[in-house]
RNA sequence: GGCGAGGUAGCUCAGCCGGUUAGAGCGCAGGCUUCAUAAGCCUGAAGUCGCGGGUUCGAGUCCCGCCCUCGCUACCA
């Protein structure tokens, strides 16, 4: 039987994440997983932080923390942010804290080497004796040998745009200490992507059906793939397998190589926790698995070409990606989200004013699925008030409060003689009813959100036409039948909305007096006249309360980061 | 400089391989309704599809040129 292995791009543990990341990756992944679960699919959702690399060592040193402590801090910070938005994974680990990661990453290295997909090359790099390290291109400054600009970086000259060869820079110096680096020979392993492409992956990519914005990205990718260096002279990372390192000392795996392997090692970790350590193979090495990578567009080449090459190159029967629902970028109204530039919100203040699930819903309605899109506070307030408060939320309160006042707060009875008429009215004549899960399966999340609203409108239209408030005086039994029908509809809304608004859907479920977790209900699909009703007449309802209070724009500076207030 | 994305109603966005009067939601206007979170329902106004050429029987949709916006170019979706 088919099973779904869902991964979300590993956030780098050197800073907070923001709505941009959430919209691009984690929220759609969460909705996808929750939907599949209700559909009865077997699903595993894996994520964690990417915790190695030079950037982290430098920042940790600046902060005066040891590396493990430093990444742990950001790991927890990021996890808290996900928790606030209701984004959940089966496991949220980290590449330096996962007990299985080092060995797993080394195994990839060994297997790729054994199969002839690694090559060792000698190169000259800049070494800073002052800093005691080889300098990544980014950490070299110097005079541009093309235009003479004095503050060129080791990767690019910001003045003339030349791609710099750091070895040719005039007057090179370390961006860290300012000391002059020396040339030093070093040997590194490279992943032979051209060979992997020619042996298999090239053909696989061309025959695979990708999301349109993904195909556009990888079209030109194949023609010009270089071998990529997969080791570095680093202090913080997975060591090259000792038996292969030989006389090379201090070589560690380059983060880009070890990070995606985290998907595998985190799965192993989870299965070990569950007491079934071999179970990971069923997820990663079984052809019935559908591997789905959620990520941002900048990660497309990596997950469509490089990581599949690594998986296949081990010759260990790893599954290759089934779908890569990459999203575009999500920008803040006045530009991009950026924590470092203060272009984000004080989240404590933000979530004090705005309900996290309402925010979740707004973000889903604006996901950057086909092109970059924009987060706007004003738009968010409008969406919460019109779509959530007035449409979905108000449908529940208008029905349930009315029943509370006039029908003793119990599910009103459906008279058999009205059933057919009302079935027809709500299922056929009050607007088109669609199944949001079909859109979710196709990774069209915004469309799914629109369907939820349309389905909710069906309830409002039905109520408007049947006018139970008027009927109550002339034909109370018929009014009861209409309200019974509306209660059923609210039950459907609770189930349909559960993946999007997990907490609110549960509250709605309880207001209907239903037991248990709505998320444990089977996915309802599209109502069929002969089977769609399930409520017990006379069963007590819960206490009706507004699910989504109306909201307004924040006061000036209310949501600014603390250091910017005032 | 290089690479990428985009410029479609007031706003945010759909419009796949070119084909009848260009769509949605919100906002706005008018009417109806009062059960409800000043919520609901109905109707409506509103766009020279960035600019200029070209291909075509026919282009928002393909080609060329130009203008503008944004992002990446740091191991940040």
């Amino acid at each position: 039987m088919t099973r779904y292995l869902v991964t979300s791009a590993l956030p780098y543990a050197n800073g907070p994440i923001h709505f941009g990341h959430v919209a691009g990756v984690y929220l759609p992944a969460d909705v996808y997983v929750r939907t599949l679960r209700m559909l009865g699919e077997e699903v595993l959702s894996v994520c964690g932080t990417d915790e190695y690399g030079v950037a982290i060592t430098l920042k940790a040193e600046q902060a005066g923390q040891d590396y493990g402590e430093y990444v742990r801090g950001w790991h927890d910070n990021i996890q808290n942010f996900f928790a606030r938005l209701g984004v959940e994974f089966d496991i949220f680990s980290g590449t330096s804290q996962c007990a299985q990661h080092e060995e797993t990453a080394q195994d990839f290295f060994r297997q790729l080497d054994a199969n002839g997909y690694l090559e060792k090359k000698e190169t000259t790099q800049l070494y800073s004796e002052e800093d005691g390290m080889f300098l990544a291109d980014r950490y070299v400054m110097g005079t541009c040998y093309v235009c003479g600009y004095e503050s060129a970086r080791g990767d690019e000259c910001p003045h003339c745009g030349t791609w710099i060869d750091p070895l040719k820079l005039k007057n090179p110096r370390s961006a860290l200490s300012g000391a002059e680096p020396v040339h030093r020979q070093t040997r590194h392993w490279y992943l032979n992507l051209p060979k992997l492409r020619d042996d298999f992956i090239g053909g696989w990519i061309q025959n695979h059906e990708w999301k349109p914005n993904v195909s556009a990205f990888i079209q030109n990718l194949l023609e010009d793939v270089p071998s990529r260096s997969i080791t570095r002279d680093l202090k913080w990372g997975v060591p090259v397998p000792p038996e292969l390192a030989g006389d090379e000392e201090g070589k560690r795996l380059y983060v880009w190589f070890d990070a995606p392997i985290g998907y595998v090692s985190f799965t192993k970790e989870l299965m070990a926790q569950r007491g079934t350590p071999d179970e990971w193979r069923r997820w990663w090495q079984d052809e019935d698995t559908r591997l789905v990578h959620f990520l941002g567009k900048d990660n497309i080449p990596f997950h469509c070409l490089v990581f599949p090459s690594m998986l296949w190159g081990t010759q260990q029967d790893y599954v290759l990606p089934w779908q890569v629902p990459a999203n575009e970028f999500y920008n803040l109204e006045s530009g991009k989200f950026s924590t470092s530039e203060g272009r984000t919100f004080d989240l404590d203040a933000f979530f004090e004013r705005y309900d996290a699930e309402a925010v979740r819903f707004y973000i889903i309605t604006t996901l950057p699925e086909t092109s970059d899109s924009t987060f706007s506070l004003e738009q968010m307030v409008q969406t919460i008030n019109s779509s959530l408060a007035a449409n979905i939320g108000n449908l529940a309160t208008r029905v349930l409060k009315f029943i509370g006042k006039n029908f003793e707060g119990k599910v009103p009875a459906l008279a058999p003689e009205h059933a057919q008429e009302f079935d027809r009215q709500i299922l056929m004549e009050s607007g088109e009813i669609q199944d949001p899960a079909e859109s979710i399966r196709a990774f069209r999340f915004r469309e799914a959100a629109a369907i939820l609203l349309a389905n909710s409108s069906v309830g409002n239209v039905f109520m408007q036409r049947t006018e139970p408030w008027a009927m109550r005086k002339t034909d109370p039994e018929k009014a009861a039948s209409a309200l019974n029908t509306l209660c059923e509809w609210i039950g459907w809304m609770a189930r349909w909305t559960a993946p999007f608004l997990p907490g609110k859907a549960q509250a709605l479920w309880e207001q209907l007096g239903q037991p248990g977790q709505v998320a444990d209900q089977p996915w309802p699909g599209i109502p069929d006249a002969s089977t769609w009703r399930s409520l017990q007449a006379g069963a007590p309802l819960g206490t009706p309360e507004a699910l989504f209070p109306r909201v307004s724009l924040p006061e000036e500076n209310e949501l600014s980061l603390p250091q910017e207030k005032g």
Side-chain angles (χ1 to χ4, degrees):
Chain A
M1 185 188 136
T2 306
R3 71 187 71 85
Y4 292 81
L5 176 54
V6 178
T7 74
S8 301
L10 307 189
Y12 196 54
N14 76 335
I17 59 166
H18 49 60
F19 288 158
H21 305 96
V22 170
V25 182
Y26 307 103
L27 198 44
D30 186 66
V31 172
Y32 186 69
V33 167
R34 288 175 189 270
T35 304
L36 289 183
R37 291 230 158 94
M38 288 181 74
L39 282 162
E41 301 284 3
E42 192 181 10
V43 192
L44 196 68
S45 169
V46 175
C47 192
T49 37
D50 175 7
E51 302 176 334
Y52 286 125
V54 198
I56 279 174
T57 63
L58 295 173
K59 280 207 167 185
E61 282 163 19
Q62 273 172 22
Q65 291 178 298
D66 69 52
Y67 306 147
E69 182 190 357
Y70 177 82
V71 298
R72 189 79 209 186
W74 285 117
H75 172 276
D76 293 348
N77 174 293
I78 291 167
Q79 195 164 28
N80 286 339
F81 186 68
F82 286 145
R84 278 181 139 150
L85 281 167
V87 170
E88 295 175 355
F89 308 98
D90 290 311
I91 183 167
F92 187 77
S93 186
T95 51
S96 74
Q97 52 189 297
C98 169
Q100 289 77 4
H101 184 64
E102 180 167 310
E103 188 188 342
T104 305
Q106 289 180 338
D107 280 345
F108 266 78
F109 191 97
R110 290 188 184 100
Q111 288 152 0
L112 286 165
D113 185 57
N115 296 330
Y117 291 115
L118 297 188
E119 41 188 356
K120 207 170 173 184
K121 295 184 192 173
E122 183 123 357
T123 61
T124 302
Q125 293 191 353
L126 292 173
Y127 182 84
S128 169
E129 290 167 340
E130 177 82 15
D131 301 305
M133 62 186 280
F134 281 94
L135 296 173
D137 295 351
R138 171 69 187 181
Y139 296 107
V140 184
M141 305 286 288
T143 301
C144 175
Y145 49 85
V146 175
C147 72
Y149 184 69
E150 290 182 4
S151 299
R153 300 192 311 246
D155 54 349
E156 182 194 53
C157 173
H159 188 253
C160 68
T162 304
W163 276 50
I164 299 281
D165 176 348
L167 295 174
K168 294 190 196 163
L169 271 181
K170 295 175 187 167
N171 303 318
R173 54 193 184 276
S174 162
L176 306 171
S177 63
E180 187 178 337
V182 297
H183 288 196
R184 186 178 280 195
Q185 295 285 103
T186 182
R187 281 198 276 175
H188 282 295
W189 280 267
Y190 286 70
L191 179 64
N192 193 335
L193 286 168
K195 185 168 183 332
L196 284 156
R197 172 197 61 192
D198 296 343
D199 284 358
F200 178 76
I201 289 292
W204 171 76
I205 286 179
Q206 279 171 340
N207 292 322
H208 200 77
E209 269 200 37
W210 306 96
K211 208 180 144 190
N213 68 327
V214 174
S215 325
F217 238 89
I218 56 181
Q219 238 166 20
N220 306 321
L221 208 65
L222 282 176
E223 292 175 20
D224 191 27
V225 273
S227 283
R228 288 185 63 158
S229 158
I230 61 169
T231 56
R232 294 273 107 168
D233 297 286
L234 278 180
K235 290 178 278 188
W236 179 236
V238 175
V240 167
E243 78 276 13
L244 295 176
D247 54 351
E248 305 290 348
E249 282 181 19
K251 304 289 185 203
R252 293 176 191 270
L253 303 186
Y254 206 174
V255 272
W256 70 256
F257 181 82
D258 92 272
I261 295 172
Y263 300 141
V264 180
S265 37
F266 301 164
T267 308
K268 290 183 179 176
E269 181 181 354
L270 176 64
M271 294 308 158
Q273 283 170 14
R274 290 183 178 176
T276 51
D278 286 333
E279 183 78 355
W280 72 272
R281 293 184 187 279
R282 202 169 65 86
W283 289 95
W284 280 98
Q285 299 177 325
D286 184 310
E287 59 184 10
D288 289 336
T289 293
R290 289 181 168 177
L291 175 60
V292 183
H293 292 306
F294 279 86
L295 38 86
K297 63 178 170 185
D298 55 338
N299 255 325
I300 291 173
F302 202 86
H303 286 77
C304 294
L305 169 65
V306 182
F307 188 48
S309 294
M310 289 163 59
L311 288 168
W312 181 82
T314 62
Q315 298 292 317
Q316 298 291 311
D317 296 322
Y318 277 104
V319 291
L320 297 180
W322 174 64
Q323 283 294 315
V324 179
N327 281 311
E328 305 291 306
F329 287 142
Y330 197 52
N331 299 309
L332 191 55
E333 45 204 319
S334 45
K336 74 161 196 163
F337 281 102
S338 163
T339 325
S340 56
E341 291 167 39
R343 304 173 67 83
T344 180
F345 303 113
D346 175 344
L347 294 175
D348 290 325
F350 188 90
F351 287 116
E352 191 164 321
R353 178 175 272 275
Y354 300 111
D355 182 272
E357 294 204 355
V359 172
R360 208 177 130 102
F361 188 85
Y362 167 68
I363 293 176
I364 292 168
T365 64
T366 55
L367 288 190
E369 284 172 4
T370 53
S371 62
D372 290 3
S373 67
T374 308
F375 175 97
S376 146
L377 263 185
E378 199 171 333
Q379 202 90 35
M380 184 187 81
V381 167
Q382 277 183 2
T383 297
I384 292 175
N385 288 341
S386 61
S387 300
L388 294 179
N391 189 348
I392 294 179
N394 184 52
L395 172 63
T397 42
R398 68 192 298 204
V399 171
L400 298 177
K401 285 194 176 177
F402 187 74
I403 293 173
K405 283 180 192 165
N406 301 296
F407 292 84
E408 303 173 330
K410 295 176 182 169
V411 176
L414 173 73
E417 67 266 32
H418 302 133
Q420 209 176 354
E421 177 187 347
F422 285 147
D423 281 348
R424 192 187 67 243
Q425 273 204 36
I426 197 159
L427 300 182
M428 312 285 288
E429 299 170 356
S430 297
E432 191 183 2
I433 300 163
Q434 289 179 275
D435 183 355
E438 287 186 21
S439 302
I440 297 293
R441 277 193 184 276
F443 307 106
R444 292 195 296 264
F445 297 92
R446 292 200 301 209
E447 183 179 87
I451 288 173
L452 288 180
L453 293 171
N455 289 354
S456 177
S457 290
V458 166
N460 279 317
V461 169
F462 176 86
M463 185 155 182
Q464 203 67 36
R465 291 192 182 160
T466 51
E467 300 187 320
W469 57 87
M471 215 156 41
R472 180 176 73 86
K473 296 165 187 160
T474 58
D475 188 348
E477 278 192 18
K478 196 168 183 184
S481 295
L483 290 163
N484 172 288
T485 302
L486 282 162
C487 284
E488 294 282 6
W489 196 252
I490 290 169
W492 279 70
M493 286 305 302
R495 284 172 284 172
W496 274 325
T497 53
F500 298 79
L501 305 159
K504 299 296 183 181
Q506 180 61 27
L508 193 53
W509 193 243
E510 287 166 14
Q511 285 183 27
L512 259 189
Q514 294 299 298
Q517 296 294 309
V518 65
D520 294 337
Q521 293 291 313
W523 184 256
I526 299 268
D528 176 88
S530 59
T531 58
W532 80 288
R533 292 173 184 273
S534 61
L535 296 181
Q536 192 72 39
L541 297 170
T543 311
E545 268 176 65
L547 288 175
F548 301 100
R550 289 177 61 84
V551 295
S552 55
L553 282 168
E555 304 299 318
E556 196 175 352
N557 287 334
E558 178 182 337
L559 303 182
S560 301
L561 289 173
Q563 61 266 29
E564 293 190 337
K565 277 181 181 166

